[in-house]
Amino acid sequence: MSDRYEAQQIEAKWQQKWDAAGIDAARDDDDRESYYCLVMFPYPSGNLHMGHVRNYCLGDAVARYKRMRGFNVLHPIGWDAFGLPAENAAIKHHRPPAEWTYSNIDQMRSQLKRLGLSYDWSREIATCRPEYYRWEQWMFTRLMEKGLAYQAEAEVNWCDPCHTVLANEQVVDGVCWRCDTPVIKKNLKQWFIRITDYAEELLADLDKLTGWPEKVVGMQRNWIGKSSGAEVSFGIEGSDETLDIFTTRPDTLMGVTYMAVAAAHPLAQKAAENNPELAVFLDECSRISTKEADVETMEKKGMATGFHAIHPISGELVPVWVANFVLMGYGTGAVMSVPAHDERDFDFARKYGLRIQQVIKPADGDWDIESAAFTEAGILINSAQFDGLASADAKQAIIEWLSENDKGSERVQYRLRDWLVSRQRYWGSPIPVIHCQDCGEVAVPDDQLPVILPTHLQPTGGASPLNECDEFRHTTCPKCGKAAERELDTFDTFMESSWYMNRYTSARNEQAMVDAEAMNRWAAVDQYIGGVEHAVLHLLYARFYHKLMRDAGLFTSEQGGDEPFKNLLTQGMVLKDGTKMSKSKGNTVDPKAIIENFGADTARLFTLFAAPPEKELEWNDAGVEGGFRFLKRVWRLLERLDLCEGEDEAAAVKQVRRTIHATIQRVTHAFEHGFAFNVAIAALMELANALQDYKPAGTSGKAAYREGVEALATMLAPFVPHFACELAERLGMAEIAVVAGWPEVDEAALVQDEITLAVQIQGKRRGEIIIAKDAGQDEALAAAQADDSINKWLDGMQIVKVILVPGRLLNVVVKPQ
RNA sequence: GCCGGGAUGGUGGAACUGGUAGACACAAGGGACUUAAAAUCCCUCGGCAGCAAUGCUGUACGGGUUCGACUCCCGUUCCCGGUACCA
């Protein structure tokens, strides 16, 4: 056995041992309390990057700590294996996507194993396997039965020469990425899932997510975008049709002086028919970006349509304008405009000389409506029978009036749209639907699931090869038995990643999507860790899907919870030279090189030490070496175990034991509150430094030293498990470090007889005194006065006030005598 | 614009609930060992003044509260993330 720290050897040895001992498996037959630690599963791109390494080292530290704490830990991993990159790679390499995907998985699996991550590999999943996606097909047919899945026309990016739909990222500057042809918008029938039916619950349950970063909760809240108000029907002069709008300020209804509609609104389109100038304007509007960056600087423009709307209460006629800032995609594509009480309407009215009618005034005082809009709540004026009401009451009264007169109603509006799950792509789960001439859209019955995706097809970049695959396409209708065709679209890959956390609880289950008992044991996820880029879409869909599974009766609220993730940690990005690592910038760092040079433990240590988990991590090669040096320093502590010349020194022993137990306290705190591993590792470094400086003299000195090194080895295990195990073995510890119990704090060791107290005069630090730990204020003051360097500040002064903060400081407030 | 987060040495970052600012590390400089290099070890390391003891000053900026403020309050600037011109 070498006496040097040989990372490669040690890591190979322990990985083998752990594997043989099966210590990483989560047990389904166990009384211990369970803990579910989940990291966001990777897309099998072929190579692990630093972001993965960081994510998985964080998760592994948590999982290992919990195991050492005696929990039965579920720490699974798998592959989010469907998606576009596989198709692109398939085109490039002329190999089917399945082949590429599976070989990438093999490669990345071995990279993960090389890092020594403690996954339960028996639960590994790959979403592209029929055993997995059959269950989301099954779920989809349940949703069809419930009316929660439906078909509707939706706009897609279409490339005519390629005869295919393009994802947004395949549209580069408005042209197709492959053939440079301008992309056109086309309406296709697509499948949707009614996430909007769950908008209210998804919003309300955000309050339960106390273990989530507020930032993410806020982002989801904005995304759902609830606003309450009223829907109001305006008449259209000379027409039987109505112009319906949504407003959050029904109290300002009497102040409407014009209406504004989107360019795509039917009324605008109709007006343009015999108004060429307007037609040009509409065309212009249709081409502007709706992205916020452009919008910020965009000039607000409008044009009158010539139509007039009839005010539902006063019957007054107001002009209908087209405005470039009204969006067809939100609400009804039309708004009422109240320039007196809305800034944007105010600016618009000013620009085009439209009337401004004040109908609200501040509760106290007046408002100069000529100079600015009054957007606060207030008291109604110029509003006929509603005069004198406060805004809140007026909202109610006006909604009531509208309801009674059939001109509108109370209404809640969400920004959230239904989830479009159809993708006109090959490498995804088939949508389990059969199109029959007579029966329409028929769900594939359970006994015919899964609908297996043929894996031998070769994508070309044009239409999905499923279109050409006759044996897939042609089938018979499950209802009437006549010839029919399969749905050729596949699911959005968010469909797979929305429920994988629950599948892990019974990953090999062939009877059901999940097992209620297993959910009861493991769900919900105690700690979920991943990138903040998933703050909205993935995390929202997963929350939604969890509720769908619950409502499909797969588990109850008690068994699986209403929310899938109790605690969420969003880790920061890994940067190099201040920017995100990316191949195109050429600033990537290959984890493989670090592992080869220094070992997996050094790679793990550095990623955890260099920054707090939620912050960005600036990669620093020199810092990596620093981590390696630390491990070598700890290693050398072994050489001094038997050094025991000289006599026992009680004070020194007490001192070192205090450091040991204070460190246990600090490191434990990091695991229990917020995962500040950078600080925990710093504390371990301090302990190592203290042990290095300590001379283990005599029996008790030697024992204290050993206690320290053992505690250090044990606490290092979640971070650098191979190293810790080897150290523990060489120390002759009974259990290998990764399953050893977490060290307990010996409170007695923390107690000090004498403490150092900082002394302040007027709040400025002037010195320190050593004093009995339970000394009172008078004693402390006396000690301070006995110290010349402190007392010189008190000389000739009158003591006004003395503040003693026990264990910390003494502050003396004085004034000249 | 709005919502969220942030600003601490040359750098990454510490500082519990208002109680010794700069832990731990990186970089830099100096020294020891060595034929030499690597490795390792020791010392210095916010700024200003000083040989030193020490003093003053310092947590983006301006105020305030307090015996005491990186921490709390008011205002300002800048940076990052999110976003919806959302009626």
Side-chain angles (χ1 to χ4, degrees), chain A residues 481-537:
Chain A
K482 285 189 212 144
E485 289 202 3
R486 285 195 191 282
E487 168 73 55
L488 296 173
D489 286 355
T490 54
F491 280 134
D492 173 14
T493 58
F494 277 120
M495 281 288 268
E496 286 88 48
S497 56
S498 294
W499 65 282
Y500 79 115
M501 65 286 179
N502 290 343
R503 180 65 180 174
Y504 282 133
T505 65
S506 54
R508 299 287 171 262
N509 194 341
E510 289 178 18
Q511 313 309 316
M513 191 170 196
V514 295
D515 176 66
E517 273 310 302
M519 285 297 285
N520 190 38
R521 173 176 288 277
W522 301 110
V525 173
D526 290 286
Q527 185 65 54
Y528 195 28
I529 305 173
V532 72
E533 65 271 22
H534 296 110
V536 177
L537 293 181

Side-chain angles (χ1 to χ4, degrees), chain A residues 18 24 231 249 260 293 455 535 546 560-561 568 576 664 675 710:
Chain A
W18 297 332
D24 298 331
E231 187 168 47
R249 292 293 303 272
T455 53
H546 188 82
L568 175 69
K576 172 88 184 183
I664 297 173
F675 306 121
E710 289 190 355

Side-chain angles (χ1 to χ4, degrees), chain A residues 68 201 346 437 444 468 532 589 690 734 750 766:
Chain A
M68 293 174 78
E201 192 189 346
F346 184 88
Q437 288 261 304
V444 175
E468 311 295 321
V532 72
V589 173
L750 296 176
R766 294 301 181 192

Side-chain angles (χ1 to χ4, degrees), chain A residues 90-396:
Chain A
I91 297 164
K92 198 169 158 194
H93 304 120
H94 302 285
R95 289 162 67 196
E99 213 181 282
W100 182 83
T101 303
Y102 287 120
S103 88
N104 283 352
I105 287 176
D106 289 341
Q107 194 174 330
M108 287 177 78
R109 185 191 299 111
S110 69
Q111 290 176 332
L112 290 182
K113 289 194 168 175
R114 182 61 194 83
L115 273 170
L117 301 164
S118 63
Y119 296 123
D120 180 350
W121 287 100
S122 72
R123 293 173 194 250
E124 177 184 358
I125 56 171
T127 58
C128 60
R129 293 191 187 280
E131 308 89 271
Y132 183 83
Y133 64 69
R134 73 173 287 188
W135 295 111
E136 76 196 48
Q137 294 179 346
W138 173 87
M139 181 60 135
F140 188 76
T141 60
R142 293 303 93 93
L143 297 177
M144 286 174 73
E145 277 168 23
K146 286 190 176 181
L148 284 170
Y150 65 95
Q151 249 189 329
E153 293 257 325
E155 206 172 63
V156 294
N157 301 311
W158 181 262
C159 175
D160 233 6
C162 299
H163 198 71
T164 187
V165 173
L166 300 175
N168 281 332
E169 49 271 35
Q170 294 173 321
V171 182
V172 183
D173 297 328
V175 302
C176 171
W177 65 311
R178 293 186 63 81
C179 68
D180 287 339
T181 313
V183 170
I184 55 174
K185 298 281 184 192
K186 187 171 171 177
N187 278 316
L188 283 186
K189 264 206 159 180
Q190 316 221 31
W191 287 97
F192 289 85
I193 299 181
R194 279 189 213 282
I195 191 171
T196 50
D197 275 18
Y198 282 72
E200 198 55 51
E201 192 189 346
L202 287 167
L203 184 65
D205 283 357
L206 286 175
D207 293 337
K208 296 181 184 168
L209 301 177
T210 51
W212 282 39
E214 270 181 49
K215 173 185 177 171
V216 175
V217 172
M219 282 164 71
Q220 294 222 349
R221 185 168 282 127
N222 278 342
W223 193 263
I224 296 168
K226 178 180 181 175
S227 45
S228 316
E231 187 168 47
V232 187
S233 272
F234 284 68
I236 298 171
E237 189 194 23
S239 162
D240 298 335
E241 312 232 331
T242 59
L243 182 57
D244 298 338
I245 59 96
F246 171 74
T247 178
T248 55
R249 292 293 303 272
D251 53 320
T252 65
L253 184 57
M254 300 309 287
V256 172
T257 55
Y258 66 100
M259 307 293 284
V261 300
H265 194 276
L267 202 57
Q269 296 291 328
K270 196 171 160 196
E273 281 168 17
N274 33 37
N275 183 343
E277 209 183 329
L278 184 61
V280 170
F281 179 64
L282 295 191
D283 189 49
E284 199 180 297
C285 289
S286 70
R287 274 186 276 114
I288 57 155
S289 159
T290 52
K291 287 278 176 244
E292 60 290 344
D294 314 317
V295 148
E296 203 55 55
T297 50
M298 187 179 87
E299 196 188 347
K300 314 238 178 310
K301 283 189 188 167
M303 194 176 272
T305 61
F307 286 109
H308 285 81
I310 306 163
H311 193 282
I313 298 180
S314 68
E316 201 180 327
L317 290 181
V318 293
V320 179
W321 282 61
V322 182
N324 62 355
F325 58 82
V326 180
L327 306 174
M328 200 57 213
Y330 182 78
T332 60
V335 296
M336 67 180 209
S337 296
V338 188
H341 305 292
D342 179 280
E343 265 169 53
R344 196 185 48 202
D345 293 349
F346 184 88
D347 294 343
F348 193 83
R350 269 294 164 82
K351 179 168 180 178
Y352 292 104
L354 295 157
R355 197 159 64 84
I356 297 171
Q357 167 71 41
Q358 185 181 5
V359 291
I360 313 261
K361 71 175 185 69
D364 45 357
D366 283 322
W367 187 267
D368 175 17
I369 210 66
E370 292 306 310
S371 55
F374 175 66
T375 57
E376 314 278 306
I379 306 295
L380 270 70
I381 55 173
N382 304 325
S383 297
Q385 68 263 44
F386 305 108
D387 277 356
L389 289 175
S391 284
D393 301 329
K395 281 182 186 174
Q396 283 314 310

Side-chain angles (χ1 to χ4, degrees), chain A residues 35-38 54-55 57-66 69 211-213 526-530 566-571 607-615 666-681 718-719:
Chain A
Y35 188 90
Y36 186 178
C37 174
L38 182 65
R54 188 178 196 197
N55 191 182
C57 289
L58 285 167
D60 203 49
V62 174
R64 287 182 182 275
Y65 169 76
K66 287 291 174 180
R69 274 288 190 186
W212 282 39
D526 290 286
Q527 185 65 54
Y528 195 28
I529 305 173
K566 286 181 212 159
N567 297 292
L568 175 69
L569 175 65
T570 50
Q571 106 229 6
T607 57
L608 294 173
F609 175 65
E614 64 281 357
K615 268 198 87 163
R666 291 168 71 187
V667 176
T668 307
H669 184 267
F671 276 104
E672 299 293 342
H673 305 279
F675 306 121
F677 297 139
N678 55 327
V679 184
I681 291 168
F719 309 119

